[in-house]
mmCIF file of all heavy atoms in Angstrom:
data_model
loop_
_atom_site.group_PDB
_atom_site.id
_atom_site.type_symbol
_atom_site.label_atom_id
_atom_site.label_comp_id
_atom_site.label_asym_id
_atom_site.label_seq_id
_atom_site.Cartn_x
_atom_site.Cartn_y
_atom_site.Cartn_z
ATOM 1 N N LEU V 1 107.065 197.259 56.959
ATOM 2 C CA LEU V 1 106.790 195.825 56.836
ATOM 3 C C LEU V 1 107.912 194.952 57.405
ATOM 4 O O LEU V 1 107.795 193.727 57.408
ATOM 5 C CB LEU V 1 106.563 195.460 55.370
ATOM 6 C CG LEU V 1 105.433 196.194 54.652
ATOM 7 C CD1 LEU V 1 105.413 195.811 53.177
ATOM 8 C CD2 LEU V 1 104.102 195.914 55.307
ATOM 9 N N ASP V 2 108.987 195.570 57.876
ATOM 10 C CA ASP V 2 110.122 194.804 58.389
ATOM 11 C C ASP V 2 109.678 193.773 59.427
ATOM 12 O O ASP V 2 108.934 194.093 60.354
ATOM 13 C CB ASP V 2 111.170 195.729 59.025
ATOM 14 C CG ASP V 2 112.014 196.455 57.992
ATOM 15 O OD1 ASP V 2 111.836 196.210 56.781
ATOM 16 O OD2 ASP V 2 112.851 197.286 58.402
ATOM 17 N N GLY V 3 110.122 192.535 59.239
ATOM 18 C CA GLY V 3 109.833 191.458 60.176
ATOM 19 C C GLY V 3 108.433 190.883 60.063
ATOM 20 O O GLY V 3 108.053 190.046 60.873
ATOM 21 N N LYS V 4 107.671 191.305 59.043
ATOM 22 C CA LYS V 4 106.278 190.870 58.937
ATOM 23 C C LYS V 4 106.023 189.961 57.740
ATOM 24 O O LYS V 4 104.891 189.573 57.505
ATOM 25 C CB LYS V 4 105.362 192.093 58.861
ATOM 26 C CG LYS V 4 105.440 192.945 60.119
ATOM 27 C CD LYS V 4 104.587 194.175 60.005
ATOM 28 C CE LYS V 4 104.721 195.012 61.273
ATOM 29 N NZ LYS V 4 103.987 196.271 61.153
ATOM 30 N N TRP V 5 107.065 189.628 56.986
ATOM 31 C CA TRP V 5 106.884 188.808 55.782
ATOM 32 C C TRP V 5 108.108 187.936 55.553
ATOM 33 O O TRP V 5 109.191 188.208 56.076
ATOM 34 C CB TRP V 5 106.620 189.685 54.558
ATOM 35 C CG TRP V 5 107.751 190.632 54.264
ATOM 36 C CD1 TRP V 5 107.933 191.883 54.786
ATOM 37 C CD2 TRP V 5 108.875 190.393 53.418
ATOM 38 N NE1 TRP V 5 109.094 192.434 54.312
ATOM 39 C CE2 TRP V 5 109.700 191.544 53.464
ATOM 40 C CE3 TRP V 5 109.266 189.317 52.622
ATOM 41 C CZ2 TRP V 5 110.890 191.648 52.741
ATOM 42 C CZ3 TRP V 5 110.461 189.430 51.899
ATOM 43 C CH2 TRP V 5 111.246 190.583 51.965
ATOM 44 N N HIS V 6 107.912 186.889 54.750
ATOM 45 C CA HIS V 6 109.016 185.991 54.398
ATOM 46 C C HIS V 6 108.665 185.273 53.097
ATOM 47 O O HIS V 6 107.489 185.070 52.786
ATOM 48 C CB HIS V 6 109.263 184.979 55.517
ATOM 49 C CG HIS V 6 110.644 184.426 55.505
ATOM 50 N ND1 HIS V 6 111.706 185.067 56.088
ATOM 51 C CD2 HIS V 6 111.150 183.301 54.954
ATOM 52 C CE1 HIS V 6 112.804 184.350 55.904
ATOM 53 N NE2 HIS V 6 112.483 183.274 55.211
ATOM 54 N N LEU V 7 109.686 184.901 52.353
ATOM 55 C CA LEU V 7 109.542 184.143 51.113
ATOM 56 C C LEU V 7 110.259 182.808 51.267
ATOM 57 O O LEU V 7 111.326 182.746 51.889
ATOM 58 C CB LEU V 7 110.170 184.902 49.936
ATOM 59 C CG LEU V 7 109.711 186.338 49.703
ATOM 60 C CD1 LEU V 7 110.534 186.972 48.580
ATOM 61 C CD2 LEU V 7 108.237 186.376 49.386
ATOM 62 N N THR V 8 109.693 181.767 50.680
ATOM 63 C CA THR V 8 110.342 180.454 50.693
ATOM 64 C C THR V 8 110.160 179.790 49.337
ATOM 65 O O THR V 8 109.036 179.665 48.852
ATOM 66 C CB THR V 8 109.755 179.543 51.792
ATOM 67 O OG1 THR V 8 109.932 180.173 53.063
ATOM 68 C CG2 THR V 8 110.460 178.195 51.811
ATOM 69 N N SER V 9 111.279 179.411 48.743
ATOM 70 C CA SER V 9 111.259 178.615 47.512
ATOM 71 C C SER V 9 111.560 177.180 47.916
ATOM 72 O O SER V 9 112.600 176.902 48.530
ATOM 73 C CB SER V 9 112.314 179.114 46.528
ATOM 74 O OG SER V 9 111.982 180.403 46.055
ATOM 75 N N ILE V 10 110.649 176.281 47.569
ATOM 76 C CA ILE V 10 110.773 174.880 47.949
ATOM 77 C C ILE V 10 111.147 174.069 46.720
ATOM 78 O O ILE V 10 110.419 174.059 45.728
ATOM 79 C CB ILE V 10 109.455 174.353 48.530
ATOM 80 C CG1 ILE V 10 109.044 175.185 49.748
ATOM 81 C CG2 ILE V 10 109.575 172.864 48.886
ATOM 82 C CD1 ILE V 10 107.644 174.888 50.258
ATOM 83 N N SER V 11 112.288 173.389 46.786
ATOM 84 C CA SER V 11 112.697 172.528 45.683
ATOM 85 C C SER V 11 112.017 171.170 45.799
ATOM 86 O O SER V 11 111.991 170.572 46.870
ATOM 87 C CB SER V 11 114.202 172.315 45.673
ATOM 88 O OG SER V 11 114.531 171.301 44.734
ATOM 89 N N PHE V 12 111.500 170.706 44.679
ATOM 90 C CA PHE V 12 110.905 169.361 44.641
ATOM 91 C C PHE V 12 111.873 168.362 44.007
ATOM 92 O O PHE V 12 111.461 167.314 43.539
ATOM 93 C CB PHE V 12 109.541 169.367 43.936
ATOM 94 C CG PHE V 12 109.488 170.139 42.644
ATOM 95 C CD1 PHE V 12 110.057 169.638 41.489
ATOM 96 C CD2 PHE V 12 108.873 171.365 42.607
ATOM 97 C CE1 PHE V 12 110.006 170.341 40.304
ATOM 98 C CE2 PHE V 12 108.808 172.089 41.416
ATOM 99 C CZ PHE V 12 109.373 171.567 40.265
ATOM 100 N N ASP V 13 113.175 168.671 44.053
ATOM 101 C CA ASP V 13 114.226 167.804 43.514
ATOM 102 C C ASP V 13 115.303 167.571 44.581
ATOM 103 O O ASP V 13 116.449 167.975 44.427
ATOM 104 C CB ASP V 13 114.827 168.477 42.274
ATOM 105 C CG ASP V 13 115.835 167.618 41.527
ATOM 106 O OD1 ASP V 13 115.886 166.393 41.778
ATOM 107 O OD2 ASP V 13 116.566 168.174 40.693
ATOM 108 N N PRO V 14 114.926 166.924 45.700
ATOM 109 C CA PRO V 14 115.866 166.823 46.817
ATOM 110 C C PRO V 14 117.117 165.997 46.527
ATOM 111 O O PRO V 14 118.140 166.192 47.187
ATOM 112 C CB PRO V 14 115.034 166.183 47.933
ATOM 113 C CG PRO V 14 113.980 165.405 47.212
ATOM 114 C CD PRO V 14 113.668 166.224 45.985
ATOM 115 N N LYS V 15 117.061 165.103 45.542
ATOM 116 C CA LYS V 15 118.259 164.314 45.223
ATOM 117 C C LYS V 15 119.371 165.197 44.676
ATOM 118 O O LYS V 15 120.543 164.952 44.929
ATOM 119 C CB LYS V 15 117.920 163.213 44.225
ATOM 120 C CG LYS V 15 117.067 162.123 44.812
ATOM 121 C CD LYS V 15 116.740 161.065 43.789
ATOM 122 C CE LYS V 15 115.778 160.037 44.373
ATOM 123 N NZ LYS V 15 115.242 159.145 43.348
ATOM 124 N N PHE V 16 119.008 166.214 43.919
ATOM 125 C CA PHE V 16 120.015 167.114 43.344
ATOM 126 C C PHE V 16 120.149 168.407 44.154
ATOM 127 O O PHE V 16 121.252 168.907 44.358
ATOM 128 C CB PHE V 16 119.664 167.455 41.892
ATOM 129 C CG PHE V 16 120.703 168.308 41.232
ATOM 130 C CD1 PHE V 16 121.830 167.737 40.668
ATOM 131 C CD2 PHE V 16 120.568 169.683 41.192
ATOM 132 C CE1 PHE V 16 122.816 168.527 40.079
ATOM 133 C CE2 PHE V 16 121.546 170.484 40.609
ATOM 134 C CZ PHE V 16 122.663 169.896 40.046
ATOM 135 N N ASP V 17 119.030 168.953 44.578
ATOM 136 C CA ASP V 17 119.036 170.255 45.247
ATOM 137 C C ASP V 17 119.328 170.122 46.738
ATOM 138 O O ASP V 17 118.448 170.223 47.590
ATOM 139 C CB ASP V 17 117.704 170.978 45.009
ATOM 140 C CG ASP V 17 117.564 171.455 43.578
ATOM 141 O OD1 ASP V 17 118.586 171.556 42.874
ATOM 142 O OD2 ASP V 17 116.420 171.735 43.163
ATOM 143 N N THR V 18 120.593 169.903 47.024
ATOM 144 C CA THR V 18 121.082 169.828 48.397
ATOM 145 C C THR V 18 121.108 171.237 48.993
ATOM 146 O O THR V 18 121.005 172.235 48.259
ATOM 147 C CB THR V 18 122.501 169.245 48.419
ATOM 148 O OG1 THR V 18 123.357 170.150 47.699
ATOM 149 C CG2 THR V 18 122.554 167.852 47.790
ATOM 150 N N PRO V 19 121.270 171.346 50.300
ATOM 151 C CA PRO V 19 121.389 172.684 50.885
ATOM 152 C C PRO V 19 122.490 173.527 50.223
ATOM 153 O O PRO V 19 122.283 174.723 49.989
ATOM 154 C CB PRO V 19 121.695 172.397 52.357
ATOM 155 C CG PRO V 19 120.983 171.094 52.613
ATOM 156 C CD PRO V 19 121.196 170.307 51.342
ATOM 157 N N LYS V 20 123.601 172.913 49.892
ATOM 158 C CA LYS V 20 124.697 173.649 49.242
ATOM 159 C C LYS V 20 124.273 174.161 47.856
ATOM 160 O O LYS V 20 124.534 175.317 47.498
ATOM 161 C CB LYS V 20 125.934 172.745 49.120
ATOM 162 C CG LYS V 20 127.134 173.421 48.525
ATOM 163 C CD LYS V 20 128.333 172.481 48.472
ATOM 164 C CE LYS V 20 129.524 173.166 47.827
ATOM 165 N NZ LYS V 20 130.703 172.302 47.777
ATOM 166 N N VAL V 21 123.615 173.319 47.078
ATOM 167 C CA VAL V 21 123.138 173.718 45.751
ATOM 168 C C VAL V 21 122.100 174.824 45.878
ATOM 169 O O VAL V 21 122.126 175.818 45.133
ATOM 170 C CB VAL V 21 122.571 172.500 44.987
ATOM 171 C CG1 VAL V 21 121.826 172.923 43.735
ATOM 172 C CG2 VAL V 21 123.689 171.523 44.631
ATOM 173 N N LEU V 22 121.176 174.685 46.819
ATOM 174 C CA LEU V 22 120.139 175.694 47.011
ATOM 175 C C LEU V 22 120.722 177.029 47.465
ATOM 176 O O LEU V 22 120.275 178.095 47.025
ATOM 177 C CB LEU V 22 119.086 175.204 48.001
ATOM 178 C CG LEU V 22 118.180 174.100 47.469
ATOM 179 C CD1 LEU V 22 117.372 173.469 48.595
ATOM 180 C CD2 LEU V 22 117.266 174.629 46.369
ATOM 181 N N LYS V 23 121.740 176.989 48.306
ATOM 182 C CA LYS V 23 122.395 178.229 48.737
ATOM 183 C C LYS V 23 123.036 178.924 47.544
ATOM 184 O O LYS V 23 122.887 180.139 47.363
ATOM 185 C CB LYS V 23 123.430 177.952 49.817
ATOM 186 C CG LYS V 23 124.091 179.215 50.331
ATOM 187 C CD LYS V 23 125.059 178.943 51.458
ATOM 188 C CE LYS V 23 125.649 180.257 51.948
ATOM 189 N NZ LYS V 23 126.618 180.044 53.025
ATOM 190 N N SER V 24 123.731 178.172 46.719
ATOM 191 C CA SER V 24 124.370 178.739 45.535
ATOM 192 C C SER V 24 123.322 179.310 44.571
ATOM 193 O O SER V 24 123.507 180.388 43.995
ATOM 194 C CB SER V 24 125.208 177.658 44.841
ATOM 195 O OG SER V 24 125.782 178.158 43.659
ATOM 196 N N TYR V 25 122.222 178.599 44.415
ATOM 197 C CA TYR V 25 121.131 179.053 43.554
ATOM 198 C C TYR V 25 120.580 180.381 44.082
ATOM 199 O O TYR V 25 120.391 181.337 43.322
ATOM 200 C CB TYR V 25 120.045 177.985 43.514
ATOM 201 C CG TYR V 25 118.863 178.299 42.638
ATOM 202 C CD1 TYR V 25 118.919 178.095 41.256
ATOM 203 C CD2 TYR V 25 117.672 178.773 43.172
ATOM 204 C CE1 TYR V 25 117.815 178.355 40.446
ATOM 205 C CE2 TYR V 25 116.569 179.031 42.371
ATOM 206 C CZ TYR V 25 116.647 178.831 41.013
ATOM 207 O OH TYR V 25 115.555 179.085 40.212
ATOM 208 N N GLY V 26 120.328 180.450 45.364
ATOM 209 C CA GLY V 26 119.839 181.692 45.965
ATOM 210 C C GLY V 26 120.830 182.830 45.789
ATOM 211 O O GLY V 26 120.435 183.967 45.489
ATOM 212 N N GLN V 27 122.109 182.541 45.952
ATOM 213 C CA GLN V 27 123.133 183.559 45.748
ATOM 214 C C GLN V 27 123.155 184.050 44.304
ATOM 215 O O GLN V 27 123.388 185.230 44.050
ATOM 216 C CB GLN V 27 124.513 183.022 46.139
ATOM 217 C CG GLN V 27 124.673 182.835 47.625
ATOM 218 C CD GLN V 27 125.930 182.067 48.002
ATOM 219 O OE1 GLN V 27 126.450 181.259 47.232
ATOM 220 N NE2 GLN V 27 126.417 182.319 49.214
ATOM 221 N N SER V 28 122.867 183.147 43.352
ATOM 222 C CA SER V 28 122.868 183.551 41.946
ATOM 223 C C SER V 28 121.746 184.554 41.661
ATOM 224 O O SER V 28 121.839 185.323 40.699
ATOM 225 C CB SER V 28 122.743 182.332 41.027
ATOM 226 O OG SER V 28 121.421 181.825 41.018
ATOM 227 N N TYR V 29 120.718 184.568 42.498
ATOM 228 C CA TYR V 29 119.638 185.550 42.367
ATOM 229 C C TYR V 29 119.860 186.754 43.289
ATOM 230 O O TYR V 29 118.996 187.626 43.355
ATOM 231 C CB TYR V 29 118.279 184.896 42.668
ATOM 232 C CG TYR V 29 117.771 184.107 41.497
ATOM 233 C CD1 TYR V 29 118.069 182.756 41.368
ATOM 234 C CD2 TYR V 29 117.023 184.721 40.498
ATOM 235 C CE1 TYR V 29 117.619 182.028 40.266
ATOM 236 C CE2 TYR V 29 116.572 183.999 39.399
ATOM 237 C CZ TYR V 29 116.881 182.660 39.291
ATOM 238 O OH TYR V 29 116.444 181.945 38.202
ATOM 239 N N ARG V 30 120.960 186.782 43.983
ATOM 240 C CA ARG V 30 121.271 187.840 44.939
ATOM 241 C C ARG V 30 120.177 187.966 46.006
ATOM 242 O O ARG V 30 119.795 189.065 46.428
ATOM 243 C CB ARG V 30 121.517 189.176 44.228
ATOM 244 C CG ARG V 30 122.716 189.149 43.300
ATOM 245 C CD ARG V 30 122.969 190.447 42.568
ATOM 246 N NE ARG V 30 121.807 191.077 41.945
ATOM 247 C CZ ARG V 30 121.270 190.737 40.765
ATOM 248 N NH1 ARG V 30 121.788 189.740 40.078
ATOM 249 N NH2 ARG V 30 120.235 191.391 40.285
ATOM 250 N N ALA V 31 119.667 186.811 46.411
ATOM 251 C CA ALA V 31 118.620 186.770 47.438
ATOM 252 C C ALA V 31 119.182 187.218 48.779
ATOM 253 O O ALA V 31 120.328 186.929 49.114
ATOM 254 C CB ALA V 31 118.068 185.351 47.564
ATOM 255 N N ASP V 32 118.364 187.912 49.535
ATOM 256 C CA ASP V 32 118.689 188.242 50.918
ATOM 257 C C ASP V 32 118.128 187.099 51.760
ATOM 258 O O ASP V 32 116.908 186.982 51.931
ATOM 259 C CB ASP V 32 118.052 189.569 51.296
ATOM 260 C CG ASP V 32 118.297 189.950 52.746
ATOM 261 O OD1 ASP V 32 118.831 189.119 53.525
ATOM 262 O OD2 ASP V 32 117.932 191.069 53.123
ATOM 263 N N PHE V 33 119.018 186.266 52.269
ATOM 264 C CA PHE V 33 118.592 185.073 52.998
ATOM 265 C C PHE V 33 117.903 185.400 54.329
ATOM 266 O O PHE V 33 117.340 184.507 54.961
ATOM 267 C CB PHE V 33 119.768 184.122 53.212
ATOM 268 C CG PHE V 33 120.296 183.524 51.929
ATOM 269 C CD1 PHE V 33 121.597 183.753 51.533
ATOM 270 C CD2 PHE V 33 119.481 182.751 51.118
ATOM 271 C CE1 PHE V 33 122.087 183.207 50.346
ATOM 272 C CE2 PHE V 33 119.954 182.212 49.925
ATOM 273 C CZ PHE V 33 121.269 182.439 49.543
ATOM 274 N N ALA V 34 117.927 186.648 54.743
ATOM 275 C CA ALA V 34 117.206 187.027 55.960
ATOM 276 C C ALA V 34 115.695 186.969 55.739
ATOM 277 O O ALA V 34 114.933 186.757 56.685
ATOM 278 C CB ALA V 34 117.615 188.431 56.405
ATOM 279 N N THR V 35 115.269 187.121 54.470
ATOM 280 C CA THR V 35 113.834 187.136 54.185
ATOM 281 C C THR V 35 113.428 186.171 53.069
ATOM 282 O O THR V 35 112.262 186.161 52.661
ATOM 283 C CB THR V 35 113.365 188.555 53.803
ATOM 284 O OG1 THR V 35 114.154 189.035 52.711
ATOM 285 C CG2 THR V 35 113.461 189.512 54.977
ATOM 286 N N TRP V 36 114.376 185.369 52.581
ATOM 287 C CA TRP V 36 114.054 184.430 51.498
ATOM 288 C C TRP V 36 114.856 183.152 51.710
ATOM 289 O O TRP V 36 116.082 183.161 51.641
ATOM 290 C CB TRP V 36 114.380 185.052 50.158
ATOM 291 C CG TRP V 36 113.986 184.274 48.936
ATOM 292 C CD1 TRP V 36 113.300 183.095 48.865
ATOM 293 C CD2 TRP V 36 114.275 184.644 47.582
ATOM 294 N NE1 TRP V 36 113.150 182.710 47.559
ATOM 295 C CE2 TRP V 36 113.735 183.651 46.744
ATOM 296 C CE3 TRP V 36 114.943 185.710 46.997
ATOM 297 C CZ2 TRP V 36 113.844 183.701 45.353
ATOM 298 C CZ3 TRP V 36 115.052 185.767 45.619
ATOM 299 C CH2 TRP V 36 114.500 184.766 44.816
ATOM 300 N N ASP V 37 114.139 182.059 51.976
ATOM 301 C CA ASP V 37 114.773 180.757 52.175
ATOM 302 C C ASP V 37 114.614 179.887 50.935
ATOM 303 O O ASP V 37 113.619 179.977 50.221
ATOM 304 C CB ASP V 37 114.126 180.010 53.348
ATOM 305 C CG ASP V 37 114.447 180.631 54.683
ATOM 306 O OD1 ASP V 37 115.568 181.123 54.858
ATOM 307 O OD2 ASP V 37 113.553 180.638 55.554
ATOM 308 N N PHE V 38 115.580 179.009 50.727
ATOM 309 C CA PHE V 38 115.554 177.991 49.679
ATOM 310 C C PHE V 38 115.689 176.660 50.393
ATOM 311 O O PHE V 38 116.713 176.400 51.018
ATOM 312 C CB PHE V 38 116.716 178.208 48.692
ATOM 313 C CG PHE V 38 116.586 179.495 47.934
ATOM 314 C CD1 PHE V 38 116.948 180.706 48.508
ATOM 315 C CD2 PHE V 38 116.085 179.504 46.643
ATOM 316 C CE1 PHE V 38 116.822 181.896 47.812
ATOM 317 C CE2 PHE V 38 115.945 180.686 45.939
ATOM 318 C CZ PHE V 38 116.316 181.885 46.523
ATOM 319 N N VAL V 39 114.648 175.843 50.330
ATOM 320 C CA VAL V 39 114.599 174.637 51.142
ATOM 321 C C VAL V 39 114.119 173.451 50.313
ATOM 322 O O VAL V 39 113.592 173.597 49.218
ATOM 323 C CB VAL V 39 113.661 174.811 52.360
ATOM 324 C CG1 VAL V 39 114.116 175.976 53.234
ATOM 325 C CG2 VAL V 39 112.218 175.011 51.923
ATOM 326 N N THR V 40 114.300 172.278 50.879
ATOM 327 C CA THR V 40 113.732 171.050 50.334
ATOM 328 C C THR V 40 113.467 170.116 51.503
ATOM 329 O O THR V 40 113.680 170.479 52.662
ATOM 330 C CB THR V 40 114.655 170.424 49.261
ATOM 331 O OG1 THR V 40 113.929 169.434 48.535
ATOM 332 C CG2 THR V 40 115.923 169.840 49.857
ATOM 333 N N ALA V 41 112.996 168.934 51.200
ATOM 334 C CA ALA V 41 112.704 167.935 52.234
ATOM 335 C C ALA V 41 112.816 166.567 51.578
ATOM 336 O O ALA V 41 113.158 166.458 50.403
ATOM 337 C CB ALA V 41 111.304 168.160 52.806
ATOM 338 N N ASP V 42 112.512 165.535 52.331
ATOM 339 C CA ASP V 42 112.504 164.206 51.727
ATOM 340 C C ASP V 42 111.342 164.128 50.731
ATOM 341 O O ASP V 42 110.371 164.890 50.806
ATOM 342 C CB ASP V 42 112.394 163.125 52.802
ATOM 343 C CG ASP V 42 111.105 163.248 53.599
ATOM 344 O OD1 ASP V 42 110.080 162.695 53.149
ATOM 345 O OD2 ASP V 42 111.120 163.923 54.650
ATOM 346 N N GLN V 43 111.453 163.201 49.783
ATOM 347 C CA GLN V 43 110.479 163.110 48.701
ATOM 348 C C GLN V 43 109.055 162.869 49.198
ATOM 349 O O GLN V 43 108.096 163.422 48.664
ATOM 350 C CB GLN V 43 110.879 162.025 47.694
ATOM 351 C CG GLN V 43 110.165 162.152 46.370
ATOM 352 C CD GLN V 43 110.488 163.443 45.632
ATOM 353 O OE1 GLN V 43 111.637 163.742 45.382
ATOM 354 N NE2 GLN V 43 109.479 164.205 45.274
ATOM 355 N N ALA V 44 108.895 162.076 50.243
ATOM 356 C CA ALA V 44 107.553 161.792 50.773
ATOM 357 C C ALA V 44 106.887 163.069 51.294
ATOM 358 O O ALA V 44 105.705 163.307 51.045
ATOM 359 C CB ALA V 44 107.626 160.745 51.875
ATOM 360 N N THR V 45 107.636 163.898 51.984
ATOM 361 C CA THR V 45 107.109 165.158 52.501
ATOM 362 C C THR V 45 106.756 166.098 51.355
ATOM 363 O O THR V 45 105.691 166.727 51.355
ATOM 364 C CB THR V 45 108.124 165.823 53.454
ATOM 365 O OG1 THR V 45 108.386 164.923 54.537
ATOM 366 C CG2 THR V 45 107.609 167.139 53.995
ATOM 367 N N ILE V 46 107.630 166.182 50.371
ATOM 368 C CA ILE V 46 107.378 167.042 49.212
ATOM 369 C C ILE V 46 106.125 166.585 48.472
ATOM 370 O O ILE V 46 105.270 167.401 48.109
ATOM 371 C CB ILE V 46 108.607 167.061 48.279
ATOM 372 C CG1 ILE V 46 109.752 167.803 48.966
ATOM 373 C CG2 ILE V 46 108.265 167.704 46.936
ATOM 374 C CD1 ILE V 46 111.092 167.639 48.285
ATOM 375 N N THR V 47 105.996 165.284 48.268
ATOM 376 C CA THR V 47 104.831 164.746 47.559
ATOM 377 C C THR V 47 103.542 165.069 48.306
ATOM 378 O O THR V 47 102.545 165.474 47.702
ATOM 379 C CB THR V 47 104.979 163.230 47.341
ATOM 380 O OG1 THR V 47 106.153 163.010 46.546
ATOM 381 C CG2 THR V 47 103.778 162.640 46.653
ATOM 382 N N LYS V 48 103.558 164.924 49.615
ATOM 383 C CA LYS V 48 102.371 165.231 50.414
ATOM 384 C C LYS V 48 102.001 166.713 50.260
ATOM 385 O O LYS V 48 100.825 167.052 50.068
ATOM 386 C CB LYS V 48 102.635 164.892 51.881
ATOM 387 C CG LYS V 48 101.442 165.050 52.782
ATOM 388 C CD LYS V 48 101.767 164.573 54.185
ATOM 389 C CE LYS V 48 100.567 164.748 55.092
ATOM 390 N NZ LYS V 48 100.853 164.344 56.467
#
């Protein structure tokens, strides 16, 4: 399955969950960032 799947956790709290916070959060779960992203966007995009 290598290269055929990916996971993404999307934060709906962009004011607090900055890229730095999300990276630290992912590290606390020992996530492999090659196959699991932690992302957010502006509130309008998240709401949509």
Side-chain angles (χ1 to χ4, degrees):
L1 302 175
D2 283 357
K4 297 177 181 175
W5 61 273
H6 203 84
L7 306 175
T8 301
S9 293
I10 302 171
S11 170
F12 46 75
D13 186 15
K15 290 179 185 169
F16 183 84
D17 289 341
T18 63
K20 183 178 178 179
V21 169
L22 289 168
K23 182 177 182 181
S24 177
Y25 181 81
Q27 289 169 333
S28 75
Y29 281 91
R30 297 179 313 279
D32 177 352
F33 294 119
T35 55
W36 186 4
D37 290 324
F38 295 80
V39 301
T40 194
D42 61 86
Q43 197 63 55
T45 301
I46 291 168
T47 299
K48 185 175 179 182

